[in-house]
């Protein structure tokens, strides 16, 4: 391009020189110079068109760049916001992790025999409060009661023993202490429609409460009778 412009300049100087040094030039020389000039002018016009096209493309790329820059700034702002939120949540997580590391007091294991004796004590206390004699422990009653508890654990259902006597059953789950199971069981029995007949009957002399644990469930059977 620079060479073409140089040629154009040289031609212009040559024409000027010829005009200045001579009285005139031939028509043939004039036409040759004019044709050369027109060719160069056409090239200049084409170059201007190319420059315009490149400028338009540049403007488009600049607009894209500005748009992408705006998106980048938005993403950076969101990243900073999320980073702040992450730091806050991470601090809470570390605090909770430290709290979880605090030793938890172990829950005492519930012993079936303790539940049995606790329930029999509540039954006898209720009888004493109503002027009745307390029940003696019935070892044969207990044998039948524990067998019934095991049958319930096997079947997964609440079932009464076959022996004709005063009796009731219960299934306990979700309790963490012996007292909770004892009190919950007796509360259910006391609210039952056969409470006075089964627990406050004047006839029975012997009683037994059997507890059998299967998994996390305690199956409970109590039986009262004239015979042990």
């Amino acid at each position: 391009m620079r060479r073409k412009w140089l040629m154009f300049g040289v031609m212009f100087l040559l024409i000027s020189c010829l005009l200045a040094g001579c009285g005139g030039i031939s028509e043939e020389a004039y036409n040759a110079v004019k044709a050369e000039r027109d060719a160069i002018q056409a090239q200049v016009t084409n170059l201007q068109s190319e420059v315009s096209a490149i400028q338009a493309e540049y403007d488009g790329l600049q607009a894209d760049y500005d748009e992408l820059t705006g998106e980048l700034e938005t993403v950076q702002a969101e990243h900073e916001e999320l980073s702040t939120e992450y730091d806050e949540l991470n601090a809470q997580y570390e605090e909770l992790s430290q709290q979880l590391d605090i030793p938890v007091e172990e829950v005492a294991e519930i012993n079936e025999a303790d539940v049995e004796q606790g329930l029999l004590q509540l039954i006898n206390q209720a009888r004493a409060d109503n002027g009745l004699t307390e029940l003696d422990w019935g070892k044969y009653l207990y044998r039948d009661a524990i067998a019934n508890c095991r049958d319930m654990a096997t079947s997964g259902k609440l079932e009464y023993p076959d022996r004709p006597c005063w009796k009731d059953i219960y299934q306990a789950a979700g309790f963490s202490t012996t007292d909770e199971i004892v009190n919950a069981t007796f509360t259910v029995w006391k609210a039952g429609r056969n409470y006075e007949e089964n627990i406050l009957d004047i006839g029975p002399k012997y009683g037994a409460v059997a507890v059998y644990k299967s998994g996390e469930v305690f199956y409970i059977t109590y039986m009262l009778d004239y015979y042990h």
Side-chain angles (χ1 to χ4, degrees), residues 119 168-170 185-192 195 199 220 222:
L119 281 170
D168 214 334
I169 53 179
Y170 186 66
T185 304
F186 190 73
T187 298
V188 171
W189 287 347
K190 189 174 182 179
Y195 169 70
I199 293 180
I220 304 172
Y222 90 83

Side-chain angles (χ1 to χ4, degrees), residues 19-219:
L19 291 176
C22 305
I25 60 173
S26 65
E27 184 177 355
E28 182 179 356
Y30 173 80
N31 290 334
V33 171
K34 182 176 182 301
E36 184 69 20
R37 186 204 65 177
D38 293 342
I40 293 175
Q41 181 64 42
Q43 293 179 0
V44 170
T45 301
N46 290 334
L47 289 174
Q48 287 177 341
S49 298
E50 292 180 6
V51 169
S52 299
I54 293 173
Q55 182 64 45
E57 184 177 1
Y58 170 81
D59 293 340
L61 293 174
Q62 182 66 39
D64 293 340
Y65 171 80
D66 293 340
E67 182 179 356
L68 290 174
T69 300
E71 293 179 359
L72 175 62
E73 292 175 352
T74 301
V75 171
Q76 287 176 336
E78 293 177 353
H79 176 266
E80 292 177 358
E81 182 178 354
L82 289 175
S83 296
T84 302
E85 184 177 355
Y86 169 80
D87 292 339
E88 294 175 354
L89 291 174
N90 190 55
Q92 295 178 11
Y93 170 78
E94 292 179 354
E95 182 179 354
L96 292 174
S97 297
Q98 293 176 357
Q99 294 177 4
L100 289 175
D101 289 337
I102 299 175
V104 179
E105 183 179 354
E106 294 185 359
V107 178
E109 183 178 356
I110 299 175
N111 185 278
E112 290 96 321
D114 293 337
V115 178
E116 293 168 352
Q117 293 301 317
L119 281 170
L120 187 61
Q121 289 177 5
L122 288 182
I123 292 172
N124 279 330
Q125 182 62 51
R127 290 178 64 84
D129 292 343
N130 286 273
L132 303 175
T133 58
E134 295 184 3
L135 300 171
D136 293 329
W137 184 257
K139 61 179 182 179
Y140 295 115
L141 284 174
Y142 179 78
R143 180 192 63 189
D144 293 341
I146 194 66
N148 186 72
C149 290
R150 293 189 178 116
D151 289 341
M152 288 194 295
T154 300
S155 66
K157 301 177 181 179
L158 292 177
E159 300 175 346
Y160 285 89
D162 294 333
R163 179 171 175 172
C165 60
W166 295 265
K167 52 199 171 185
D168 214 334
I169 53 179
Y170 186 66
Q171 175 180 310
F175 298 101
S176 57
T177 66
T178 299
D179 288 342
E180 288 179 354
I181 293 180
V182 169
N183 291 327
T185 304
F186 190 73
T187 298
V188 171
W189 287 347
K190 189 174 182 179
R193 62 181 181 178
N194 296 325
Y195 169 70
E196 292 186 359
E197 177 183 350
N198 289 348
I199 293 180
L200 301 182
D201 194 283
I202 194 173
K205 297 181 179 180
Y206 298 94
V209 179
V211 178
Y212 181 77
K213 182 180 180 183
S214 177
E216 297 300 321
V217 180
F218 292 85
Y219 295 92

